C-alpha cells in the first residue's frame, strides 16, 4: 500500500535530514522544508530519491514568517499531497545575554518554536491535508527540561513545546491523530559542531556516554513514535545520560 507523505520542517540538515533518511528508507514519500540553503536542499532531495526511490518534495518556508503557513498549505493543495506523519523539527534560538535580549528576538524565537507549528497544524487540519491515524512529532530539547544557561528564549520555548505535546493530545482526538515529542540532549549537527572545542569537551564530560548523539541514533526514535500506534502525549528524552554535576 502506498504510504502517505511524511512532512518534516528543517528536513534538509542535521536531525531533520537524518529523520528524512530513516523515513525514506522505511518507504515514506517526503516533503522537506528548509530556510535558505536551496543548494543543500536540492542535493538532499536527489540523494534521498536515489537511495530509497521515494518521491521527495523540498520547499523553502521560513518558520519565522507567518506567510509560510499559507505557502505550505497552498503547496500541499497544488501538489495534491496528503500527510501521514508531521514532524515539527525546525527551531530557532537567540543567544544574547538577558541584559541585551531584544523584544524582537524573543518574539522571533517564540514565533518559530511555538506559534508556527500550532498554526501550521491548525491550517493543515483546516484544509484537510492530514489523514486520520496520522502522527505528529515535535523536536523539543533537554534544554526545555533543564534550565538553559545560554538562551532564555530557547529554554522557555522548548519547555513550551513539551507542554504543547501534552496539551494537544485531547484537541487531536477528534481527528484520530497522535502527538509526541523527542527531547534530544546534544546531537552532532552543524548547530553543535559550530561550538568551540573547549565547550564541546565540557559538554562531553557531563554526558554519561561521554559523547554527542549522532543524528542517525536519534532518527530511530522518530520512526518509532510515528509507527507505534500506542504512543500518545509522550516526550522521549534522548540524552545519553546527561547530568549537571
Ligand atoms: N543539535 C542539537 O544538539 C539539538 C539538541 C536539542 C534539540 N535540537 C533541536 O533540533 C532541531 C533541529 O536542529 P539541528 O541541530 O538538526 O539543526 P541544523 O543541523 O542547523 O538544521 C536546521 C534545519 O532547519 C532549517 N532551518 C533553519 N532555520 C530555519 C527557518 N527560519 N525556517 C525554516 N527552516 C529553517 C535548516 O535549513 P537552512 O539551512 O536551509 O536554513 C535545516 O534544514 C531544532 O528544533 C533544535 O532546537 C537540536
Amino acid at each position: 500500500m502506498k504510504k502517505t507523505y511524511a512532512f518534516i520542517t528543517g528536513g534538509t540538515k542535521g536531525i531533520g535530514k537524518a529523520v528524512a533518511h530513516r523515513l525514506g528508507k522505511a518507504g515514506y514519500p517526503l516533503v522537506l522544508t528548509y530556510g535558505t540553503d536551496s543548494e543543500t536542499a536540492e542535493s538532499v532531495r536527489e540523494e534521498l530519491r536515489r537511495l530509497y526511490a521515494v518521491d521527495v518534495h523540498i520547499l523553502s518556508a521560513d518558520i519565522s514568517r507567518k506567510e509560510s503557513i499559507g505557502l505550505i498549505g497552498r503547496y500541499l493543495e497544488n501538489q495534491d499531497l496528503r500527510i501521514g506523519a508531521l514532524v515539527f523539527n525546525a527551531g530557532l534560538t537567540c543567544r544574547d545575554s538577558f541584559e541585551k535580549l531584544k523584544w524582537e528576538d524573543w518574539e522571533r524565537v517564540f514565533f518559530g518554536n511555538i506559534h508556527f507549528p500550532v498554526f501550521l497544524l491548525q491550517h493543515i487540519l483546516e484544509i484537510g491535508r492530514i489523514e486520520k491515524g496520522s502522527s505528529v512529532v515535535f523536536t523539543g530539547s533537554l534544554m526545555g527540561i533543564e534550565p538553559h544557561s545560554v538562551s532564555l528564549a530557547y529554554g522557555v520555548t522548548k519547555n513550551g513545546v513539551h507542554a504543547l505535546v501534552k496539551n494537544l493530545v485531547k484537541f487531536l482526538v477528534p481527528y484520530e491523530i497522535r502527538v509526541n515529542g523527542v527531547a534530544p540532549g546534544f546531537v552532532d549537527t552543524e548547530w553543535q559542531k559550530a561550538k568551540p572545542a573547549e565547550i564541546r569537551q565540557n559538554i562531553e564530560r557531563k554526558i554519561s556516554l561521554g559523547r554527542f548523539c549522532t543524528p542517525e541514533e536519534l532518527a530511530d526514535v522518530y520512526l518509532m513514535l510515528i509507527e507505534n500506534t500506542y504512543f500518545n502525549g509522550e516526550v522521549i528524552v534522548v540524552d545519553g545520560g546527561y547530568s549537571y554535576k
Side-chain angles (χ1 to χ4, degrees):
M1 195 179 75
K2 187 174 178 283
K3 287 188 173 170
T4 44
Y5 281 77
F7 181 100
I8 307 169
T9 64
T12 60
K13 290 180 185 169
I15 295 168
K17 179 182 163 190
V19 174
H21 271 270
R22 193 68 197 86
L23 297 180
K25 195 175 175 187
Y28 288 85
L30 301 160
V31 184
L32 313 177
T33 74
Y34 63 98
T36 52
D37 187 354
S38 308
E39 205 177 311
T40 299
E42 188 54 57
S43 79
V44 168
R45 165 162 64 182
E46 287 313 310
E47 189 184 20
L48 289 162
R49 279 180 173 166
R50 179 172 47 78
L51 287 173
Y52 312 117
V54 292
D55 190 22
V56 185
H57 294 254
I58 52 169
L59 176 65
S60 170
D62 188 344
I63 61 166
S64 65
R65 296 176 65 87
K66 204 172 171 183
E67 304 84 78
S68 301
I69 293 173
L71 184 140
I72 290 169
R74 284 191 296 281
Y75 188 86
L76 296 175
E77 288 185 315
N78 292 341
Q79 300 284 327
D80 194 20
L81 306 178
R82 302 194 71 79
I83 296 171
L86 181 49
V87 181
F88 289 117
N89 166 70
L92 301 177
T93 189
C94 148
R95 295 201 168 90
D96 289 334
S97 66
F98 183 57
E99 291 73 17
K100 293 202 170 137
L101 181 61
K102 291 192 206 69
W103 181 287
E104 304 80 62
D105 290 330
W106 176 262
E107 220 170 40
R108 184 179 56 85
V109 176
F110 268 74
F111 187 92
N113 294 354
I114 303 284
H115 300 31
F116 187 82
V118 168
F119 287 96
L120 177 57
L121 177 60
Q122 185 201 55
H123 186 55
I124 288 175
L125 284 167
E126 193 182 3
I127 61 174
R129 287 282 139 192
I130 186 163
E131 299 284 338
K132 276 193 173 174
S134 290
S135 172
V136 178
V137 184
F138 281 83
T139 301
S141 173
L142 179 65
M143 298 300 117
I145 297 166
E146 305 285 354
H148 194 311
S149 57
V150 183
S151 175
L152 186 62
Y154 186 78
V156 172
T157 54
K158 285 297 183 179
N159 186 277
V161 166
H162 301 168
L164 252 183
V165 166
K166 305 274 178 196
N167 282 273
L168 273 172
V169 168
K170 286 202 173 168
F171 291 92
L172 296 182
V173 166
Y175 303 96
E176 296 176 28
I177 293 173
R178 294 178 298 109
V179 53
N180 293 287
V182 179
F186 294 87
V187 189
D188 235 344
T189 64
E190 281 180 37
W191 179 303
Q192 293 294 351
K193 282 181 178 147
K195 287 183 177 165
E198 195 190 329
I199 292 184
R200 285 180 58 92
Q201 283 156 13
N202 278 343
I203 292 169
E204 281 165 354
R205 272 196 286 276
K206 291 179 187 165
I207 301 169
S208 304
L209 293 178
R211 63 173 178 86
F212 283 61
C213 180
T214 67
E216 293 72 28
E217 286 170 314
L218 199 61
D220 284 337
V221 182
Y222 287 77
L223 180 68
M224 178 189 72
L225 290 175
I226 288 165
E227 296 209 329
N228 185 310
T229 53
Y230 207 64
F231 272 106
N232 204 7
E234 209 59 65
V235 177
I236 311 267
V237 180
V238 186
D239 66 358
Y242 187 81
S243 134
Y244 260 80
K245 72 177 183 309

